[in-house]
Amino acid sequence: MMNQFRYLLTLLLAFVLIEVNAQQTAALPEGTIMMVKQANAEKLSQSFNEQIEIILPSKTAVYSRKQAEMVIKDFFNQHSVTEFQLIHQGKKDNASYAIANYHTSNGRFRFTFLTKKKSGKIYIHQIRIERQ
């Protein structure tokens, strides 16, 4: 009976530690997935760094936050999302990344977000969008 209790307690502790670790390795600013699903470039841009690199199938450039908002808004308008799913994320030091699949009625894309933590907040420094 005592061994079963220890086993259950150890198992519970392991789940708690896994959950805490998952929260600490979050690669995206809060709400990013929802903003993409809603095609809300304005709210998404609030998590952009002052300068952000956007890599699209047709062009690559570094933009100000406001310019990047317009570029992403244009992408959302041309490619209405039907499904957006986070498939992988990782972290090293203050930098992290997240990879997601973006499905539209006119094709599939792979989104890669590169982020960095600055002053306790996660900012998106790069968005790479590749046609699949």
Side-chain angles (χ1 to χ4, degrees), residues 37-91:
K37 284 181 177 180
Q38 295 173 353
N40 191 331
E42 182 180 352
K43 285 201 176 188
L44 180 63
S45 72
Q46 293 172 5
S47 296
F48 292 171
N49 194 35
E50 291 99 20
Q51 298 288 309
I52 178 172
E53 182 179 24
I54 299 182
I55 302 163
L56 296 168
S58 59
K59 60 185 169 186
T60 298
V62 176
Y63 300 98
S64 70
R65 181 180 288 138
K66 195 64 177 167
Q67 290 171 323
E69 176 187 333
M70 301 313 290
V71 170
I72 294 297
K73 183 177 184 176
D74 186 50
F75 178 84
F76 287 158
N77 287 338
Q78 290 178 25
H79 307 283
S80 298
V81 64
T82 56
E83 181 183 343
F84 184 73
Q85 180 183 19
L86 183 65
I87 58 172
H88 185 73
Q89 56 184 339
K91 180 179 177 181

Side-chain angles (χ1 to χ4, degrees), residues 1 5-6 23-24 28 32 39 45 48 50 56 59 64 68 79 91 101 112 117-118 121-122 131:
M1 179 79 170
F5 178 73
R6 279 190 189 151
Q23 290 174 358
Q24 290 174 346
L28 293 174
T32 299
S45 72
F48 292 171
E50 291 99 20
L56 296 168
K59 60 185 169 186
S64 70
H79 307 283
K91 180 179 177 181
N101 288 327
T112 304
K117 197 172 199 178
K118 186 170 71 174
K121 186 175 177 186
I122 299 172
R131 190 174 283 280

Side-chain angles (χ1 to χ4, degrees), residues 83-129:
E83 181 183 343
F84 184 73
Q85 180 183 19
L86 183 65
I87 58 172
H88 185 73
Q89 56 184 339
K91 180 179 177 181
K92 183 174 182 183
D93 301 324
N94 282 336
S96 55
Y97 66 94
I99 300 169
N101 288 327
Y102 183 94
H103 298 249
T104 73
S105 58
N106 60 355
R108 293 179 178 189
F109 296 87
R110 163 95 19 118
F111 270 55
T112 304
F113 298 91
L114 297 178
T115 64
K116 289 186 181 175
K117 197 172 199 178
K118 186 170 71 174
S119 302
K121 186 175 177 186
I122 299 172
Y123 291 96
I124 300 171
H125 284 256
Q126 182 190 79
I127 299 175
R128 177 183 299 267
I129 302 172

